[in-house]
Amino acid sequence: MNGTERIKHAGTDEKCEYGLMSGDTKRKTLVVGATGGMGHAVAQERARQGDVLALVGRDRSKLLNVAQEIGEEYEEPGILTVDLADMEACAQCIDETVELMGGLDTLIFCAGVHARAGATDADLQSWDHILDVNFRSFAHLVRSCIDPINSSGHGAVIAIGSITSAFAGAGMNLAAKRALAGLCETLFEDVREFGTKVSVIHPGFVATSMSASPRLHSELMIQPKDISNAVSYILQSAPTACPTEIVIRPQRSPYK
């Protein structure tokens, strides 16, 4: 365990494991959506930077794999299995994180689902699910964790957005991402005097399973590591500045 104490908690609908440091000198970071390509890369880089980590995802086995992989080189993260479409579970996971880690400095939101459907034939339950996971969960997580993040004096809230343009069938995906960006914009105004950074990263095509297509060269896409580097840039920025919005595009066109 590399000197890490594991504290286990079992709730009604979720289980979590936390790896805790013996001191409070390192950044305490919650990565939401840690089993996806971008979230995985962000978690690895934050571990390399020495953060105490808790990872959120809905698939416990994938979370364990990510945590164990990180634990081979760095302190093994704690894990929380959470259904982000369940707003009570979102609030509960923040409460447990703050209690068991002894605080929270940073929320990094990398979660997201995608479904294409036009307004004339969309399944409303699918639209609700996209809105719940891609936006409402973020809003509920932020509301539950913003007080401890503000009280840390060096807090940060970072969300992964998108530069996806409007096209037929993308309505709710685009709406949720724009709502995410809008909330981040106003959240910064709410918390800037606490020294809390708020930033949204808008990437183009990133080489993850969600963007896989026979029409695209994955090696020409933005790489997940590029996203983790952007997160590090935000967290390492001076206390007198906050990069509130970062747009990242592939240097070369990935289209075949």
Side-chain angles (χ1 to χ4, degrees):
M1 293 300 300
N2 300 323
T4 303
E5 178 186 5
R6 296 189 75 81
I7 298 178
K8 298 182 179 180
H9 172 90
T12 304
D13 297 314
E14 61 179 356
K15 297 178 181 177
C16 61
E17 297 176 359
Y18 292 81
L20 302 183
M21 297 290 292
S22 58
D24 295 323
T25 59
K26 295 188 176 182
R27 183 178 289 274
K28 298 167 184 175
T29 299
L30 181 65
V31 180
V32 180
T35 60
M38 287 184 280
H40 189 170
V42 167
Q44 286 180 314
E45 179 60 20
R46 296 323 309 158
R48 192 181 75 82
Q49 294 291 336
D51 292 16
V52 180
L53 288 177
L55 311 179
V56 167
R58 65 171 180 250
D59 189 318
R60 180 176 173 80
S61 63
K62 290 182 179 179
L63 280 172
L64 282 170
N65 288 338
V66 173
Q68 289 168 0
E69 177 185 321
I70 291 173
E72 292 176 359
E73 293 187 73
Y74 312 106
E75 178 162 3
E76 187 169 334
I79 64 170
L80 304 92
T81 54
V82 179
D83 177 8
L84 292 178
D86 183 340
M87 300 307 135
E88 291 185 5
C90 291
Q92 182 181 348
C93 88
I94 294 296
D95 291 342
E96 292 170 346
T97 301
V98 172
E99 179 182 357
L100 296 176
M101 293 180 72
L104 182 63
D105 304 308
T106 308
L107 170 67
I108 305 175
F109 186 82
C110 306
V113 293
H114 181 273
R116 182 170 178 172
T120 58
D121 57 3
D123 176 74
L124 289 178
Q125 288 186 330
S126 175
W127 269 8
D128 284 344
H129 184 66
I130 292 170
L131 190 61
D132 285 345
V133 174
N134 293 9
F135 174 66
R136 291 187 68 235
S137 66
F138 175 73
H140 281 248
L141 289 166
V142 165
R143 184 63 187 89
S144 297
C145 74
I146 200 61
D147 286 343
I149 286 178
N150 284 340
S151 67
S152 75
H154 57 270
V157 176
I158 302 172
I160 307 300
S162 173
I163 59 172
T164 301
S165 58
F167 60 88
M172 192 52 63
N173 301 307
L174 187 60
K177 288 297 186 182
R178 289 186 177 177
L180 184 74
L183 179 56
C184 287
E185 185 177 357
T186 57
L187 178 64
F188 175 68
E189 299 298 332
D190 291 336
V191 303
R192 62 191 304 179
E193 300 304 329
F194 293 95
T196 298
K197 297 183 185 299
V198 180
S199 185
V200 58
I201 300 171
H202 295 295
F205 288 118
V206 182
T208 67
S209 59
M210 188 174 290
S211 297
S213 168
R215 299 175 56 209
L216 298 169
H217 291 286
S218 62
E219 68 274 13
L220 294 180
M221 294 183 190
I222 300 161
Q223 300 301 304
K225 177 68 174 175
D226 301 329
I227 305 302
S228 67
N229 288 341
V231 169
S232 294
Y233 170 75
I234 295 163
L235 295 177
Q236 293 166 6
S237 60
T240 52
C242 179
T244 56
E245 188 174 22
I246 297 176
V247 176
I248 305 176
R249 299 177 185 273
Q251 178 62 49
R252 294 178 173 85
S253 173
Y255 284 102
K256 295 181 179 179

